[in-house]
């Protein structure tokens, strides 16, 4: 008998996995969530994603898809009559994909060193991260969300910043997203966190903080 | 055949893998466009204003509006010019997801490790890059089986999204083979990809835009000479 239904292989603290959940919930799609221990990956995960062996993986009626941004576009197309995630206009879609790539390739790379450094080095990398986020922020100008009046693809891709960055800041003893430096982004954080599907899925802040503090200690001690 | 009033400009650079992807897509779709060759060191005002974030080619300018990033350009072309030429992405959402996954794999795994194999500072890092590159190609052999479903291309009967993503690397692959006998798609290891590469390279639409291999060899030699000079100057 063919496998039916939707499964998400994720990890409770993974920003990539949560995107998939947000997309499915916006579409009103029921799914089974499988929380992976990344140090001890399940046979199922390895079977569904032998190529990269990473979370998230979406399995729809037995067919697996990996790579979170690919999954989000798939969810939009597979449940095309539901909530519109991608912009309708091809040019706007290209813009959304451009900024998503920018955030993933440049902003994430600029943010990571904030977490792994201290002192003057950290101050410098904070400034670099702010420069990167300021560029991203231009995509928000004049809008409530990156998607316009309602959340869309780009909001789902960068939305994790709203919950994770304050935690990373606290764990690292740094401030990156401030009202002075990134007013639009900060305001968008609040609006994004108020969205129902977001509130329903966010990982526990204390647990996330404890995890990040421990990781930072490990990295600094190495 | 373009809709009346469509103006397409492509800002590119002849030796760029990424610009080649845009050219391949435009060529496969049979679209006409103005091509502007950018110099690496002397970027035009148009490039700087069209791609202020990265200041890189390729940039597709459609009726004055810029689209950046090679595979984003390819998707854009496919989405806008649906009536022109063959579709580059499949119609089925699952197959589209698979195509997008493999195109991302080409960039994240194959291209990244090739860059490491060529440009890393230590011999160790280069060797590691080489190993990962060959592993990536072997994985792509499996991807070809999955995507082509026994048809000639990743895209099926006609070349599509993944063919463009991977096919653009033929430019450098052929040069590497001529210069030092290195075969990216070795028939003894990845027979399907080896024949796919021949087939893709023979397409009229591909021949029309693929840079001449000897020119690529000269260019690669220059690049290595420059890198050696820079390294020795430090």
């Amino acid at each position: 008998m063919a496998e039916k239904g939707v499964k998400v292989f994720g990890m409770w603290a993974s920003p990539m996995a949560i995107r998939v959940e947000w997309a499915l919930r916006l579409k009103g799609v029921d799914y089974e969530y499988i929380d992976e221990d990344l140090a001890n990956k399940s046979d199922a995960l390895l079977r569904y994603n032998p190529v990269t062996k990473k979370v998230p993986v979406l399995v729809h009626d037995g067919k697996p898809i990996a790579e979170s941004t690919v999954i989000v576009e798939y969810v939009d197309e597979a449940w095309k009559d539901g909530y519109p995630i991608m912009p309708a206009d091809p040019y706007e879609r290209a813009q959304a994909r451009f900024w998503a790539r920018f955030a993933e390739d440049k902003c994430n790379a600029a943010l990571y060193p904030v977490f792994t450094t201290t002192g003057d080095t950290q101050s410098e990398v904070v400034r670099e991260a702010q420069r990167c986020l300021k560029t991203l922020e231009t995509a928000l100008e004049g809008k409530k969300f990156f998607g316009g009046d309602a959340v869309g693809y780009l909001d789902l891709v960068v939305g994790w910043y709203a919950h994770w960055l304050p935690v990373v800041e606290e764990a690292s003893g740094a401030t990156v997203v401030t009202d002075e430096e990134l007013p639009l982004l900060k305001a968008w954080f609040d609006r994004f966190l108020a969205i129902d599907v977001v509130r329903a899925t966010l990982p526990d802040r204390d647990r996330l903080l404890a995890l990040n503090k421990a990781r930072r200690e490990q990295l600094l001690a190495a | 055949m373009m809709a009346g009033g469509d103006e397409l400009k492509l800002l590119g650079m002849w030796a760029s893998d990424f610009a080649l992807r845009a050219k391949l897509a435009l060529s496969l779709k049979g679209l006409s466009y103005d091509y502007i060759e950018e110099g690496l060191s002397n970027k035009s005002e148009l490039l700087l204003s069209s791609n202020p974030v990265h200041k890189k080619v390729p940039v597709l300018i459609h009726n004055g509006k810029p689209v950046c990033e090679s595979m984003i350009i390819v998707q854009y072309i496919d989405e806008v010019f649906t009536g022109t030429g063959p579709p580059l992405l499949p119609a089925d959402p699952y197959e589209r997801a698979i195509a997008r996954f493999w195109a991302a794999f080409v960039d994240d795994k194959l291209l990244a490790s090739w860059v490491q194999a060529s440009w890393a500072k230590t011999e160790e890092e280069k060797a590691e890059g080489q190993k990962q590159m060959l592993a990536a190609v072997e994985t792509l052999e499996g991807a070809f089986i999955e995507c082509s479903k026994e048809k000639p291309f990743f895209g099926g009967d006609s070349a599509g999204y993944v063919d463009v993503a991977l096919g653009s690397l033929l430019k450098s692959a052929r040069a590497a083979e001529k210069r030092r006998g290195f075969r990216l798609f070795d028939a003894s290891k990845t027979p399907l990809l080896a024949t796919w590469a021949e087939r893709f390279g023979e397409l009229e639409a591909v021949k029309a835009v693929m840079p001449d291999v000897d020119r690529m060899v000269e260019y690669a030699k220059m690049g290595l000479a420059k890198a050696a000079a820079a390294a020795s100057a430090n």
Side-chain angles (χ1 to χ4, degrees):
Chain A
M1 184 146 97
E3 207 182 308
K4 279 253 162 244
V6 180
K7 284 190 179 128
V8 176
F9 288 81
M11 186 262 177
W12 71 271
S14 162
M16 275 90 233
I18 209 168
R19 288 172 187 160
V20 174
E21 291 198 81
W22 290 338
L24 290 167
R25 283 173 186 248
L26 283 172
K27 296 283 190 181
V29 173
D30 285 324
Y31 59 95
E32 183 193 342
Y33 184 84
I34 295 126
D35 194 32
E36 286 284 328
D37 172 5
L38 297 181
N40 192 19
K41 293 176 181 178
S42 70
D43 287 336
L45 173 63
L46 299 176
R47 191 171 22 98
Y48 283 127
N49 184 9
V51 177
T52 66
K53 306 176 173 57
K54 288 181 178 176
V55 295
V57 177
L58 178 84
V59 182
H60 185 197
D61 293 344
K63 301 202 294 193
I65 300 163
E67 290 299 307
S68 61
T69 54
V70 172
I71 297 171
V72 172
E73 288 214 42
Y74 171 78
V75 169
D76 195 42
E77 292 174 7
W79 288 277
K80 60 177 162 53
D81 295 327
Y83 184 98
I85 294 174
M86 296 301 287
D89 173 67
Y91 185 75
E92 294 304 317
R93 273 205 292 281
Q95 295 310 300
R97 287 173 180 143
F98 173 86
W99 287 116
R101 269 295 294 269
F102 179 79
E104 290 284 271
D105 291 351
K106 304 290 180 191
C107 296
N108 291 358
L111 285 164
Y112 188 66
V114 173
F115 186 65
T116 61
T117 55
T118 58
D120 287 336
T121 317
Q122 193 188 50
S123 309
E124 247 196 72
V125 300
V126 164
R127 275 193 290 277
E128 189 48 51
Q130 286 172 333
R131 267 193 287 273
C132 214
L133 290 172
K134 276 184 195 193
T135 305
L136 177 64
E137 205 184 41
T138 62
L140 206 44
E141 276 162 17
K143 300 190 284 185
K144 270 180 77 180
F145 298 100
F146 287 99
D149 287 327
V151 299
Y153 175 72
L154 187 52
D155 299 277
L156 299 190
V157 174
V158 301
W160 70 283
Y161 290 163
H163 187 63
W164 267 256
L165 284 190
V167 170
V168 167
E169 286 172 348
E170 194 178 327
S172 316
T175 25
V176 180
V177 182
T178 63
D179 288 310
E180 299 75 39
E181 293 297 327
L182 294 154
L184 298 182
L185 203 65
K186 193 126 199 293
W188 167 79
F189 275 13
D190 293 334
R191 287 194 288 273
F192 188 76
L193 292 173
I195 302 280
D196 284 338
V197 303
V198 173
R199 281 170 54 214
T201 47
L202 291 177
D204 179 72
R205 196 188 190 278
D206 291 335
R207 202 181 165 200
L208 199 60
L209 182 61
L211 178 69
N212 278 281
K213 274 188 174 158
R215 221 179 248 156
R216 179 170 154 88
E217 264 174 48
Q218 253 183 338
L219 288 165
L220 292 178
Chain B
M1 250 175 313
M2 279 198 341
D6 267 313
E7 190 199 48
L8 283 173
K9 274 193 179 93
L10 180 69
L11 307 183
M13 191 267 162
W14 73 273
S16 156
D17 288 326
F18 302 112
L20 181 57
R21 285 173 175 171
K23 283 188 188 171
L24 284 166
L26 289 162
S27 188
L28 286 165
K29 295 285 268 181
L31 293 162
S32 32
Y33 57 99
D34 287 330
Y35 178 71
I36 295 157
E37 177 73 22
E38 289 285 334
L40 275 182
S41 46
N42 200 16
K43 296 178 178 183
S44 72
E45 266 313 304
L46 184 58
L47 175 59
L48 297 175
S49 61
S50 306
N51 190 359
V53 174
H54 301 297
K55 307 175 174 55
K56 285 183 180 175
V57 296
V59 180
L60 181 77
I61 304 177
H62 181 209
N63 294 335
K65 299 201 306 190
V67 180
C68 309
E69 298 291 313
S70 65
M71 295 318 289
I72 292 176
I73 292 171
V74 174
Q75 281 194 90
Y76 177 80
I77 290 167
D78 198 40
E79 288 171 11
V80 172
F81 299 100
T82 45
T84 314
L88 298 175
L89 274 168
D92 174 69
Y94 185 71
E95 290 179 24
R96 291 160 73 84
I98 296 303
R100 287 175 177 138
F101 173 85
W102 286 117
F105 181 88
V106 169
D107 281 345
D108 298 342
K109 303 289 177 199
L110 180 56
L111 202 49
S113 54
W114 193 346
V115 167
Q116 186 176 328
S118 310
W119 303 108
K121 294 199 177 96
T122 68
E123 284 310 309
E124 252 172 9
E125 282 177 304
K126 280 188 182 179
E128 181 55 35
Q130 181 84 349
K131 207 177 94 181
Q132 288 190 20
M133 195 171 80
L134 296 174
V137 177
E138 297 227 18
T139 303
L140 285 166
E141 177 89 349
F144 183 76
I145 296 170
E146 182 183 7
C147 297
S148 68
K149 302 201 212 321
E150 306 199 322
K151 297 218 172 131
F153 299 101
F154 283 92
D157 287 315
S158 56
Y161 193 71
V162 182
D163 299 279
V164 169
L166 186 59
S168 61
L169 302 187
L170 282 176
K171 163 178 78 53
S172 305
R174 284 170 173 176
E177 187 171 354
K178 190 145 192 194
R179 273 183 53 233
R180 48 194 175 93
F182 168 73
R183 274 208 197 99
L184 185 64
F185 304 118
D186 187 331
S188 64
K189 298 198 184 119
T190 53
L192 297 175
L193 284 181
T195 50
W196 164 82
E198 295 282 311
R199 199 181 298 133
F200 184 77
E202 281 304 305
L203 289 172
E204 286 308 317
V206 172
K207 288 203 282 200
V209 298
M210 191 65 77
D212 172 62
V213 67
D214 290 321
R215 200 180 172 198
M216 274 312 299
V217 170
E218 282 313 306
Y219 182 77
K221 281 188 191 161
M222 253 173 52
L224 286 173
K226 265 193 205 152
S232 53
N234 284 346

